[in-house]
Amino acid sequence: GESVGLHLPTLSVQEGDNSIINCAYSNSASDYFIWYKQESGKGPQFIIDIRSNMDKRQGQRVTVLLNKTVKHLSLQIAATQPGDSAVYFCAEKTAYKYIFGTGTRLKVLA
Amino acid sequence: DGGITQSPKYLFRKEGQNVTLSCEQNLNHDAMYWYRQDPGQGLRLIYYSQIVNDFQKGDIAEGYSVSREKKESFPLTVTSAQKNPTAFYLCASSSATGNYGYTFGSGTRLTVV
């Protein structure tokens, strides 16, 4: 069946280091992907998106990479800050709906 | 500012009671959604509506009901038939096509007491 998953449930990173959060998707027909950030007790916030006709997209301190060959999506956060501590999850758009991953908790160590 | 508002932030329900969670958006979005979020699980779709006066069941609709009488509003009722209602509930909205993703509300945490 369709699934969106993450390799690591928790990622601990030293402040100032780069973070990489991974996501595997199973539906090769998915044409649009989003990374969301969710802080404790709050709703998810859009971080960055990428369409299937792209391999890489950069935002402010964040980069999303898409490897369609292996159906893999990653989120890179440069110079991780304490405010980056949250759960990050990916979403894939297939036809009319989105499928959401379970999330990775990012912990930033001082 | 445009956005999507959920209320209340915290809600307590006694056994056998129905409770209604509010969701209002002023983004002029056609589509609205209700998701349930449990620890360690991805978002699970309860109900969605792509147009006023129409809505469809999602993956876990049993024990829930919704209405869409206005474009801006999509309330969710958690009925007594929902055996395990304690969870974090998220409302979202999007354009009709869903392009550019969903805008989420801040959530309602429902606890059965």
Side-chain angles (χ1 to χ4, degrees), chain B:
Chain B
D1 288 337
I4 183 166
T5 302
Q6 289 186 242
S7 62
K9 187 171 178 65
Y10 300 97
L11 188 58
F12 297 90
R13 192 194 92 169
K14 293 182 180 180
E15 295 280 353
Q17 277 186 339
N18 293 351
V19 290
T20 298
L21 284 59
S22 171
C23 180
E24 303 276 335
Q25 55 99 359
N26 60 3
L27 299 166
N28 200 32
H29 282 165
D30 290 305
M32 297 186 75
Y33 313 82
W34 274 105
Y35 285 89
R36 172 178 171 142
Q37 188 174 41
D38 295 283
Q41 298 192 39
L43 301 180
R44 292 187 290 168
L45 183 62
I46 304 173
Y47 269 97
Y48 65 100
S49 168
Q50 295 179 301
I51 195 170
V52 175
N53 292 323
D54 189 38
F55 49 83
Q56 285 78 40
K57 294 182 179 180
D59 301 319
I60 56 165
E62 185 176 352
Y64 300 97
S65 65
V66 293
S67 63
R68 186 88 187 275
E69 298 176 0
K70 299 187 300 181
K71 186 175 183 178
E72 302 78 16
S73 180
F74 191 41
L76 173 74
T77 297
V78 184
T79 74
S80 56
Q82 171 50 239
K83 298 306 178 186
N84 185 23
T86 295
F88 191 57
Y89 291 86
L90 285 164
C91 180
S93 68
S94 75
S95 65
T97 60
N99 290 340
Y100 309 108
Y102 296 167
T103 300
F104 285 90
S106 56
T108 293
R109 182 164 300 280
L110 173 63
T111 303
V112 174
V113 296

Side-chain angles (χ1 to χ4, degrees), chain A residues 1-2 10 17 19 25 31 43 47 61 65-67 79 83 88 97-98 106:
Chain A
E2 296 176 340
T10 303
D17 287 352
S19 303
Y25 66 94
D31 59 1
I47 302 173
R61 282 202 308 119
L65 300 177
L66 176 62
N67 186 330
Y88 293 81
K97 68 176 183 179
Y98 285 88
L106 177 64

Side-chain angles (χ1 to χ4, degrees), chain A residues 18-105:
Chain A
N18 296 335
S19 303
I20 300 176
I21 300 171
N22 298 301
C23 174
Y25 66 94
S26 60
N27 193 328
S28 58
S30 293
D31 59 1
Y32 180 61
F33 304 87
I34 300 173
W35 278 102
Y36 285 96
K37 173 186 180 183
Q38 186 176 21
E39 296 176 88
S40 182
K42 297 183 180 180
Q45 292 177 292
F46 175 102
I47 302 173
I48 192 168
D49 61 354
I50 189 168
R51 300 206 175 273
S52 59
N53 61 353
M54 303 171 68
D55 296 324
K56 178 179 180 179
R57 188 154 192 244
Q58 288 184 297
Q60 188 176 12
R61 282 202 308 119
V62 294
T63 300
V64 55
L65 300 177
L66 176 62
N67 186 330
K68 294 181 288 294
T69 302
V70 296
K71 297 176 191 167
H72 185 266
L73 193 69
S74 70
L75 175 70
Q76 300 179 0
I77 304 174
T80 310
Q81 302 170 359
D84 295 327
S85 293
V87 172
Y88 293 81
F89 58 89
C90 60
E92 63 175 312
K93 185 172 185 286
T94 303
Y96 63 91
K97 68 176 183 179
Y98 285 88
I99 300 170
F100 297 91
T102 55
T104 291
R105 182 173 301 281

